[in-house]
Amino acid sequence: MPLYEVERISLEAISAIVCFILLKFMIRSYQATGENRYLGLPLGFGFLGASYAFSALSYSQIFSFSNWGWIQLFIRGFAFLFLAITYYFSKSEKNVKLLWNTSFGVLIIMFTSLILFAIFSPEISRSDYVLYYILIRVVSLLCVFYIIVHSLARHVKKPESTLLAPLGYVLLAIDQYSSLIWVVDASYFALFVGLLTRLGGLVLFLLIAQRTFFRSKRKGE
Amino acid sequence: MKKIRRRDKMKIYGDLLRELHHRPKDEKIVITQIQRKTNVPFDRLKAYLQELLDLGLIEDDTSLILSEKGKQYLREYEKVLDFMSRMGLYYR
């Protein structure tokens, strides 16, 4: 059994659970606003949770499937894309229904094609996997950087809003960067720094949800 | 009790309830002011107010005071807006 497998599986599984708890709050927000442009929020966190769950499954080797790595790679990459376009479209003052629907449609088609490719493709060489891994992680990093800048700009405009969200995304960016180091250098230190900072970021989002939905509930009672 | 079917109506209901709830209590209701603040055409505004009444979110169509259910709906709506703001999202 590879090194630290139990620790990796546990951290991936806990991250998946936290993401699925967050998903509930994201769905609630999407339902209350009723606007398609916020659909990326539940989709993004749902995809993130699914990708962590797939990682845990692939490490645990419960199901033997050679392309687990590709599936979790695509799902995680698209999670950050969905989140980034949600942040992008949220600032738009004009009616962006058509543009959103087009972007969303293109992403869904791309995602479905890539997942089908991952399931039905023959064995792909390790070097190709590493190349695509780096590419997708770099794109994910760019998406997270965009979200950080966006949420910081939002904070500057409305200082009473919290800094926890940009901080949470910074921690997710560190995770993406650490996973790049892990795949290139096989550094266990980078791997665990990434896993732990990611969990820290997700817990910060959970804290935001708790402060918003539960503290005010007690106040109102 | 009727259910809210179209999801995008939820935002309009939320904005309308917010406007009705936060106006000064002694202020006379001027429909055109509500129309301007919520950015809803006059004919549709009348229809939405009737729907709010049918859903039991306001007490009657003259005072436009929020019912208990309306206040509960507004609390949930404002929590969600607060959450989105804390997550660094814009909401217009």
Side-chain angles (χ1 to χ4, degrees):
Chain A
M1 196 174 192
L3 279 171
Y4 308 116
E5 217 55 8
V6 176
E7 291 84 350
R8 283 171 75 179
I9 294 167
S10 309
L11 285 169
E12 295 284 3
I14 295 168
S15 298
I17 292 166
V18 175
C19 266
F20 291 134
I21 296 170
L22 281 169
L23 178 63
K24 191 185 139 197
F25 297 108
M26 304 301 167
I27 291 173
R28 201 164 154 182
S29 304
Y30 166 64
Q31 283 178 330
T33 58
E35 288 192 56
N36 284 348
R37 60 182 168 156
Y38 297 112
L39 180 60
L41 212 55
L43 270 179
F45 279 92
F47 273 42
L48 273 184
S51 81
Y52 302 145
F54 279 127
S55 293
L57 276 176
S58 68
Y59 297 143
S60 65
Q61 292 166 354
I62 294 173
F63 302 106
S64 172
F65 178 52
S66 57
N67 289 349
W68 274 130
W70 285 100
I71 291 179
Q72 71 85 15
L73 184 65
F74 292 143
I75 294 178
R76 200 169 303 173
F78 274 85
F80 287 114
L81 276 174
F82 282 127
L83 287 174
I85 64 162
T86 300
Y87 276 82
Y88 174 76
F89 282 107
S90 86
K91 70 176 180 185
S92 180
E93 285 178 50
K94 293 176 195 163
N95 191 349
V96 289
K97 234 176 201 173
L98 183 68
L99 196 58
W100 158 261
N101 288 343
T102 312
S103 315
F104 182 68
V106 169
L107 285 182
I108 288 292
I109 291 168
M110 279 169 63
F111 174 72
T112 313
S113 315
L114 289 170
I115 289 295
L116 289 175
F117 163 77
I119 293 172
F120 297 111
S121 70
E123 285 290 315
I124 300 158
S125 70
R126 170 80 190 156
S127 61
D128 280 349
Y129 177 75
V130 170
L131 185 71
Y132 283 103
Y133 187 99
I134 292 170
L135 186 74
I136 292 173
R137 286 286 183 264
V138 169
V139 172
S140 300
L141 254 180
L142 292 176
C143 289
V144 185
F145 280 140
Y146 172 76
I147 298 171
I148 293 167
V149 171
H150 180 107
S151 46
L152 278 176
R154 176 84 175 93
H155 178 73
V156 171
K157 280 185 189 165
K158 198 183 172 192
E160 63 269 27
S161 67
T162 173
L163 266 173
L164 287 178
L167 184 60
Y169 284 114
V170 166
L171 295 178
L172 291 190
I174 293 172
D175 170 41
Q176 291 304 298
Y177 185 69
S178 302
S179 62
L180 275 174
I181 298 174
W182 160 246
V183 82
V184 174
D185 209 26
S187 153
Y188 276 97
F189 178 73
L191 175 74
F192 281 99
V193 164
L195 289 173
L196 289 169
T197 51
R198 174 221 288 169
L199 193 57
L202 295 174
V203 168
L204 282 184
F205 296 135
L206 209 54
L207 194 66
I208 296 173
Q210 187 270 337
R211 281 185 178 180
T212 316
F213 289 103
F214 296 104
R215 202 164 63 176
S216 48
K217 188 178 175 183
R218 280 193 210 106
K219 221 189 286 175
E221 278 171 358
Chain B
M1 194 72 72
K2 277 188 188 175
K3 273 196 164 185
I4 300 168
R5 284 188 192 157
R6 280 183 55 191
R7 281 186 302 191
D8 47 343
K9 274 193 179 175
M10 297 177 97
K11 177 181 183 291
I12 298 167
Y13 291 164
D15 290 344
L16 262 174
L17 290 174
R18 199 154 54 147
E19 187 50 42
L20 293 173
H21 190 63
H22 294 302
R23 74 193 152 85
K25 295 280 174 265
D26 52 347
E27 192 182 276
K28 199 184 163 196
I29 299 161
V30 183
I31 294 286
T32 47
Q33 272 182 12
I34 299 171
Q35 181 205 341
R36 186 167 42 81
K37 285 182 179 170
T38 54
N39 202 20
V40 177
F42 187 76
D43 54 333
R44 279 169 61 192
L45 178 65
K46 296 282 271 184
Y48 285 135
L49 289 174
Q50 186 57 49
E51 285 173 26
L52 290 183
L53 185 66
D54 294 343
L55 289 161
L57 298 174
I58 52 173
E59 285 181 356
D60 57 73
D61 57 355
T62 47
S63 71
L64 300 179
I65 293 171
L66 269 63
S67 63
E68 212 34 63
K69 190 184 170 192
K71 285 177 190 166
Q72 200 181 330
Y73 182 96
L74 183 61
R75 274 198 293 272
E76 170 70 11
Y77 185 73
E78 288 187 331
K79 266 185 214 171
V80 164
L81 295 195
D82 186 27
F83 178 62
M84 291 174 75
S85 170
R86 284 170 189 246
M87 284 299 290
L89 284 158
Y90 290 90
Y91 182 74
R92 290 190 176 93

